[in-house]
Amino acid sequence: MQICQHLAQAQDPAPRTPQGCEECLAAGDRWVHLRKCLSCGHIGCCDSSPNKHATAHATTIGHPVIASFEPGEDWRWCYVDKIIG
């Protein structure tokens, strides 16, 4: 089994915009599903959303791990190692 240090060291910061995707809220856009950055609490929209703000945040800022911010979902994803946890 592959071990990912990013997932093992991920924190659980408070969401910066618990009401939705930070960038979509500012622009008046819509999203499909939400993801939370486990480094800073940024809330971004998923890759099924038109703007893909969660992945854009991870790519631009370099924060490696997101978690689903959807009710009833409990998973995390490491962009660096491309592994779910």
Side-chain angles (χ1 to χ4, degrees):
M1 174 182 257
Q2 185 178 4
I3 297 173
C4 173
Q5 291 299 92
H6 304 103
L7 287 170
Q9 296 171 358
Q11 302 298 309
D12 189 18
R16 294 190 331 204
T17 53
Q19 66 275 26
C21 173
E22 189 170 325
E23 291 85 358
C24 287
L25 288 168
D29 289 338
R30 295 180 183 225
W31 57 84
V32 177
H33 296 289
L34 298 172
R35 309 295 181 232
K36 181 173 82 167
C37 173
L38 295 185
S39 293
C40 70
H42 171 269
I43 301 297
C45 53
C46 72
D47 285 355
S48 294
S49 300
N51 296 306
K52 304 176 183 179
H53 287 125
T55 296
H57 174 80
T59 302
T60 303
I61 304 298
H63 292 164
V65 180
I66 58 165
S68 175
F69 197 62
E70 292 296 313
E73 292 185 3
D74 184 26
W75 57 264
R76 300 175 302 157
W77 172 258
C78 176
Y79 284 103
V80 175
D81 296 318
K82 296 179 177 37
I83 189 169
I84 199 163

